[in-house]
Each structure stands twice: as C-alpha cells, then as structure tokens.
Amino acid sequence: MKQARLRAKPPAQQKRPQNAKQSAKQRFHVKHERAEDFDAGLRSYAQYRDLALATPTGGMVQAHVIRMVPPCDPKVVSKWHYHDVNLQFIYVLKGWMKSEFEGQGAHVMRQGTCWLQPPKIRHRVLDYSDDCELLEVVLPANFDTVELD
C-alpha cells in the first residue's frame, strides 16, 4: 500500500503573491520597550516610539507605537491629510480611535482592530480615548505626509 505524503498548506490568505519581492537585505533586530523612548513626532497630539526598523530593513519599513495625548481636541486632530506610502497598516493596542476615510466614512477602531489604509487615502482623526495606543507599520520607511485644507 502506497502512503501519500501530506504537506501542510498555508491558508489561502497567507500565501505569498507571485510578484512579491524582498527589495532590501534585512538583518536581525530587537527593540525592547522603554517608556522614555516615546517622543514628540509629526503631530502634537501623539507621542511616537520608533521601533527602529528602517535601518535593519534597508529603508523598506518604518514601525512605531503611537500613544495619543489626552484629551482629544477635535479642532486640532480633525485635519484631512494623506501619506505618500506604499503600505500603511494600523493595529489598536489599547483604547479606541474614531477616524474618517475618504469614500469609506467614519469608523470606530477598538482594541484589537486593524486596518489597511491604501496609499494616499485622505483621512482624519475625529476622536480617541485617553488611553489610545496604536501600532503603525509603513512602507517605505521615509515618506511624505500631505496636509489638506
């Protein structure tokens, strides 16, 4: 009797697309959490903890934890903008955030929610909880943010 060899197949949604390429040599990297690593960044209402992936990925990836600064002031945060990126992925670590996306409406993102913002999608923050923290992954590491009137 002939035995069939079974191979584990990844779920369809996890298969690597045929045209996906790794464009930069990557090296091993570890970054441990330290409270003092949160700095002011692009926006006054958020503090950023850079996960320092730009160098070990040859500029391919930027990732950071964003800690929203309470209290939310809609006059400050609710400005339309977009990012000139290839990929922008966000995951809510704590709390919640309400954002509006051009053509998609407003969404409340709660702890455990993730979303993908297509390149150059216009969006704005509407509100967030006092304990809101996000993980954001962006490709490439260096990109432009365009503020809209």
Side-chain angles (χ1 to χ4, degrees):
M1 181 164 144
K2 193 173 184 181
Q3 288 186 341
R5 289 179 55 156
L6 299 176
R7 287 186 289 172
K9 293 184 181 179
Q13 67 269 24
Q14 291 182 3
K15 287 184 183 177
R16 186 175 178 183
Q18 293 286 335
N19 61 352
K21 296 182 216 171
Q22 185 175 345
S23 61
K25 184 172 176 139
Q26 298 175 36
R27 63 179 171 81
F28 182 77
H29 170 75
V30 175
K31 174 95 174 169
H32 296 284
E33 181 176 9
R34 298 177 333 151
E36 62 267 25
D37 288 343
F38 281 91
D39 293 320
L42 179 63
R43 308 200 183 289
S44 63
Y45 54 85
Q47 295 177 332
Y48 297 77
R49 185 170 73 88
D50 184 12
L51 300 180
L53 294 180
T55 298
T57 63
M60 188 170 53
V61 178
Q62 177 187 124
H64 46 258
V65 176
I66 304 170
R67 181 179 290 162
M68 305 306 285
V69 176
C72 178
D73 181 353
K75 291 180 287 227
V76 174
V77 303
S78 297
K79 296 182 179 169
W80 286 100
H81 64 281
Y82 69 85
H83 308 287
D84 190 6
V85 299
N86 295 327
L87 178 131
Q88 185 177 12
F89 168 84
I90 302 98
Y91 180 85
V92 181
L93 297 168
K94 292 181 189 175
W96 58 268
M97 170 182 274
K98 184 175 183 180
S99 295
E100 185 175 6
F101 305 89
E102 183 178 53
Q104 303 300 317
H107 295 267
V108 176
M109 314 300 194
R110 300 185 187 286
Q111 183 174 330
T113 300
C114 67
W115 70 98
L116 181 70
Q117 290 182 194
K120 296 185 179 180
I121 188 170
R122 296 168 190 240
H123 60 282
R124 64 182 176 165
V125 174
L126 298 175
D127 199 4
Y128 55 80
S129 64
D130 287 353
D131 63 343
C132 184
E133 281 191 18
L134 312 165
L135 170 67
E136 183 175 56
V137 178
V138 183
L139 283 75
N142 293 313
F143 62 92
D144 290 325
T145 295
V146 178
E147 298 282 342
L148 305 166
D149 294 329

